[in-house]
Amino acid sequence: MSERPDLTVAVDRLATMGSRADGSAYLSPWPLRDLRELAAQLGLRGVGGLRKADLVERLVEHTIGYRLASTALRRR
């Protein structure tokens, strides 16, 4: 990624994605430093020692996965 992402835009974009795969594809090119900043903005703790792939997974699960799970539960 050539320029630093706007974290507010990233949070909004993740909120509109419909699958975990979309979120992973969006975040995977990001540098680890920017992923850690996004995690901090989202209030994720204990992610400092995670590898990049694990951090992407945590971010996706925290944003998209949580929303998808909540939607599935409401449909029951």
Side-chain angles (χ1 to χ4, degrees):
M1 198 168 249
S2 59
E3 62 183 59
R4 302 219 38 203
D6 180 334
L7 298 181
T8 304
V9 171
V11 170
D12 291 342
R13 191 160 178 200
L14 287 167
T16 63
M17 291 184 180
S19 74
R20 290 174 178 90
D22 291 343
S24 293
Y26 174 63
L27 293 175
S28 290
W30 287 35
L32 187 56
R33 177 191 70 224
D34 294 343
L35 291 170
R36 286 187 177 137
E37 286 182 25
L38 179 60
Q41 181 165 334
L42 292 170
L44 284 175
R45 298 187 189 273
V47 297
L50 293 178
R51 293 177 334 178
K52 183 177 177 178
D54 295 331
L55 181 53
V56 167
E57 184 178 332
R58 286 276 304 273
L59 287 164
V60 168
E61 202 52 43
H62 182 77
T63 55
I64 299 167
Y66 179 77
R67 182 174 39 82
L68 292 177
S70 295
T71 302
L73 287 173
R74 282 185 293 220
R75 289 183 182 164
R76 287 186 171 185

